[in-house]
Amino acid sequence: MSLSVPERLLKSSARHSYDPEVDIDWDAAVDPTLWGMQPERMSLYGTELWEGLTPEQRVTLSNHEVASIASVGLWFELILMQMMLRDAYDDDPTTAHMHYALTEVADECRHSTMFGKSIAHLDVPAYGPPASVHRLGRLFHTVVRGPSAYASILVAEEILDTWQREVMKDERVQPVTRMVARIHVLEEARHMTFARDEVRRQVAGLSGLALLKQQVLTAQTCFMVARSLVNPEVYRSVGIDPRVGRRAALGNPHYRATMQWMGEKPLAFLRENRLLPAHQEKTWRGSLLLG
């Protein structure tokens, strides 16, 4: 008899899991000549503001920008855990479905710790999302329910996964950042499989207003997550006014192409599963994930 998705993921978790407390050398020195992330994927790359920065300033900005992305990832993982535990509250504790959900929450606890330690390792601020989005985050786990919850989880995880698969192979990037990316990629593969399975299962049979609600919630949540990845305050680290940097980033064709590259896979999945209809494309284009 074939195993269910949760059963397969439980077996994979037992075979392949990391403990970032022992698997990452947090005492390693930060090399001032290495990047915090790949420069070509940074929000100002190719702009006039970028051309005006010294090589040292560009590296500094890379450390602040990767810290922003990590801190927003941490923020959303906390929301993710609340949503999953809310669902587990009413689940059957004897089933593989609940067992895997709890296993994923345990993974995310380690990931959140790992992201926090990686930011501290670079000795830069944990920017997180803008204050208004941070406040809205308190509502996510109560308002966003059903397939939109798992669709939002999938988009947040998969855009970071695409980016980190490139980070972990780039020898120009700090070793600790690359190891964080490698661990996250390995374990998030299971989480994305679970999210896809939940979306397919929960969206089946939805129609009319119920489906419309899920489409709107998915678009709005993913808009906030994607637009929050780079907190404008990072630009202060190199003497750029946050409002000026934000405008340059949002209009930067290089950055817009990067965001669309990150969003390509999850958005294709959402289209296939009726969660990215034509009437929501304006919001998705505003998120930068859709061209």
Side-chain angles (χ1 to χ4, degrees):
M1 185 175 66
S2 62
L3 297 175
S4 67
V5 169
E7 288 171 331
R8 287 192 289 105
L9 295 176
L10 280 167
K11 288 185 176 294
S12 176
S13 298
R15 291 192 302 267
H16 303 293
S17 290
Y18 283 89
D19 182 352
E21 290 286 351
V22 297
D23 292 320
I24 297 178
D25 181 9
W26 298 112
D27 294 324
V30 176
D31 187 333
T33 68
L34 296 180
W35 297 85
M37 62 179 285
Q38 41 322 25
E40 298 83 4
R41 299 300 183 187
M42 290 171 60
S43 61
L44 296 184
Y45 179 81
T47 65
E48 290 185 10
L49 291 175
W50 178 265
E51 296 303 322
L53 298 176
T54 66
E56 293 77 16
Q57 285 178 314
R58 292 174 182 177
V59 169
T60 295
L61 182 59
S62 76
N63 289 335
H64 286 258
E65 200 154 314
V66 77
S68 176
I69 295 170
S71 61
V72 170
L74 192 163
W75 162 77
F76 195 73
E77 284 184 338
L78 293 174
I79 294 172
L80 179 162
M81 287 186 273
Q82 292 178 71
M83 292 191 293
M84 294 193 72
L85 287 172
R86 176 201 62 203
D87 288 356
Y89 191 83
D90 294 316
D91 207 350
D92 181 347
T94 68
T95 63
H97 186 273
M98 181 166 177
H99 299 165
Y100 180 72
L102 293 175
T103 298
E104 182 166 327
V105 170
D107 287 346
E108 298 295 13
C109 284
R110 293 194 305 275
H111 293 173
S112 295
T113 301
M114 178 173 70
F115 285 161
K117 290 176 75 73
S118 70
I119 297 166
H121 178 74
L122 291 173
D123 193 26
V124 295
Y127 291 95
S132 58
V133 176
H134 186 270
R135 288 192 295 271
L136 284 172
R138 298 185 186 280
L139 299 175
F140 285 177
H141 72 284
T142 55
V143 174
V144 182
R145 292 177 175 269
S148 59
Y150 288 93
S152 302
I153 289 170
L154 176 64
V155 172
E157 290 179 336
E158 195 147 21
I159 61 176
L160 290 180
D161 180 79
T162 297
W163 171 71
Q164 287 184 315
R165 285 178 184 275
E166 189 177 85
V167 171
M168 71 185 194
K169 298 174 184 176
D170 195 328
E171 295 186 357
R172 299 172 299 170
V173 175
Q174 296 286 344
V176 164
T177 304
R178 291 169 58 202
M179 188 60 184
V180 167
R182 186 172 292 111
I183 290 174
H184 201 242
V185 163
L186 176 75
E187 298 188 340
E188 287 297 323
R190 297 190 292 264
H191 301 180
M192 291 185 293
T193 297
F194 187 68
R196 289 190 197 98
D197 191 57
E198 288 297 299
V199 169
R200 292 189 190 100
R201 183 176 65 82
Q202 294 187 27
V203 84
L206 287 183
S207 61
L209 288 176
L211 179 59
L212 175 62
K213 177 183 177 181
Q214 296 302 316
Q215 293 166 342
V216 171
L217 286 173
T218 301
Q220 292 295 329
T221 302
C222 294
F223 175 93
M224 286 187 285
V225 172
R227 289 286 288 263
S228 297
L229 287 176
V230 179
N231 190 313
E233 290 298 314
V234 303
Y235 304 123
R236 291 192 192 277
S237 67
V238 290
I240 296 174
D241 183 299
R243 291 170 297 181
V244 173
R246 182 67 162 174
R247 282 197 299 271
L250 293 179
N252 181 7
H254 292 282
Y255 184 56
R256 297 179 75 91
T258 285
M259 293 296 290
Q260 290 167 30
W261 164 72
M262 290 164 66
E264 184 176 357
K265 288 176 63 178
L267 267 59
F269 175 82
L270 295 187
R271 280 197 190 280
E272 292 170 7
N273 287 275
R274 300 186 296 150
L275 289 178
L276 204 169
H279 62 76
Q280 288 298 312
E281 286 189 356
K282 182 178 179 181
T283 301
W284 283 102
R285 284 193 293 272
S287 75
L288 307 185
L289 297 172
L290 182 67

